[in-house]
Amino acid sequence: MINIEHRDRLVAVTVFGEFALADYKEFEELVNYKIQFSGPIDLLFDLREMVGFTLDVAWEEIKFSRQHSHDFRRIAVLTDDQWLTWSAWVSQLFVDAEVQVFDDEAKARDWLGSAAETVE
């Protein structure tokens, strides 16, 4: 299950439990809409409550990242899991965005907010 918050050029996704393909498709649909009408966006992924993801989500994430390699400005990942930290850095190979991993939500939002201020 996911919860999505979006405003201006920020899309924030919180994952609870297992990250399933239906959840990822919901995320993709919103991001495609935001990119179409706002241009490059910032992402905040809160994975602190995620217990896992399905293999089809991993494959879909790779395809989506490659398709939208120039559509993200900054990506903040909230996690304290070393495996997820490592995979966030690997994901940076597929996108031009700056990717940072945080364990504090306020710091992640501050970092994303500083990118928004430089655009406006």
Side-chain angles (χ1 to χ4, degrees):
M1 182 176 135
I2 63 172
N3 180 51
I4 301 176
E5 161 198 339
H6 61 95
R7 61 176 170 71
D8 302 324
R9 292 182 174 211
L10 173 67
V11 174
V13 179
T14 304
V15 180
F16 301 96
E18 185 173 69
F19 199 7
L21 187 58
D23 298 324
Y24 198 87
K25 292 289 190 178
E26 180 182 345
F27 158 75
E28 280 182 328
E29 186 177 312
L30 177 63
V31 167
N32 284 329
Y33 177 83
K34 295 292 280 185
I35 290 168
Q36 181 179 359
F37 292 103
S38 300
I41 62 171
D42 296 321
L43 297 176
L44 172 63
F45 279 105
D46 186 345
L47 305 178
R48 295 173 294 179
E49 300 296 323
M50 183 176 79
V51 296
F53 54 90
T54 59
L55 186 56
D56 51 357
V57 167
W59 178 243
E60 189 68 23
E61 196 275 329
I62 291 169
K63 293 188 313 184
F64 185 77
S65 294
R66 292 184 71 193
Q67 180 183 5
H68 294 283
S69 62
H70 306 294
D71 294 329
F72 305 109
R73 296 181 312 172
R74 284 188 171 177
I75 301 170
V77 179
L78 274 168
T79 186
D80 55 6
D81 182 284
Q82 286 298 96
W83 170 250
L84 292 174
T85 298
W86 179 83
S87 65
W89 293 115
V90 169
S91 295
Q92 192 169 7
L93 298 173
F94 301 109
V95 294
D96 291 337
E98 292 180 71
V99 178
Q100 290 285 332
V101 177
F102 296 89
D103 59 5
D104 181 87
E105 184 173 353
K107 290 179 182 176
R109 287 183 180 272
D110 285 347
W111 181 71
L112 291 170
S114 67
E117 291 170 7
T118 60
V119 171
E120 295 174 3

